[in-house]
Amino acid sequence: MGYDTPWGYAMRTVKKHDLEARTRILNRLKRLEGQVRGLQKMVEEDRDCREILTLLAGIRSALEATGDLIFETYLEECRADLAKGQGDTKAIVEAVRLLRG
């Protein structure tokens, strides 16, 4: 049982490794959410510009690292499927294009 991703790639049934990766990703996203809320509060409180920019830089870095983890996890799933004769290289190329923006 699975579902289709935006790239037409069918996700497999979730395995232990997949659950661990998903948990790491979700934990990072929750931390990011807290940081963004903190940034919003700092702006609302008219805090020092330097403090705001420091937090903003940290958020950008954390978001980039989280995006890399999501992408690496997706590529690992694609690689495993290709090794089994399943999957589609076009989906990988499309994912890379989307990530480049």
Side-chain angles (χ1 to χ4, degrees), residues 5-84:
T5 66
W7 305 287
Y9 173 77
M11 297 292 288
R12 301 183 317 271
T13 304
V14 178
K15 297 180 181 178
K16 182 179 179 184
H17 172 73
D18 297 334
L19 286 174
E20 291 170 356
R22 181 181 295 166
T23 299
R24 282 194 315 272
I25 291 166
L26 288 173
N27 286 340
R28 286 180 179 220
L29 290 171
K30 288 175 186 177
R31 278 193 300 271
L32 272 164
E33 179 183 18
Q35 289 178 318
V36 170
R37 288 181 192 276
L39 180 63
Q40 178 181 354
K41 185 175 180 180
M42 290 174 75
V43 170
E44 289 170 350
E45 295 173 351
D46 200 27
R47 299 273 294 268
D48 180 62
C49 184
R50 186 178 204 140
E51 292 177 36
I52 291 171
L53 292 176
T54 300
L55 181 54
L56 181 59
I59 290 170
R60 290 175 70 177
S61 177
L63 182 58
E64 186 71 28
T66 302
D68 289 347
L69 179 59
I70 291 169
F71 187 59
E72 289 167 12
T73 301
Y74 174 77
L75 288 180
E76 181 60 33
E77 290 175 6
C78 290
R79 186 205 57 79
D81 284 347
L82 288 171
K84 292 186 279 184

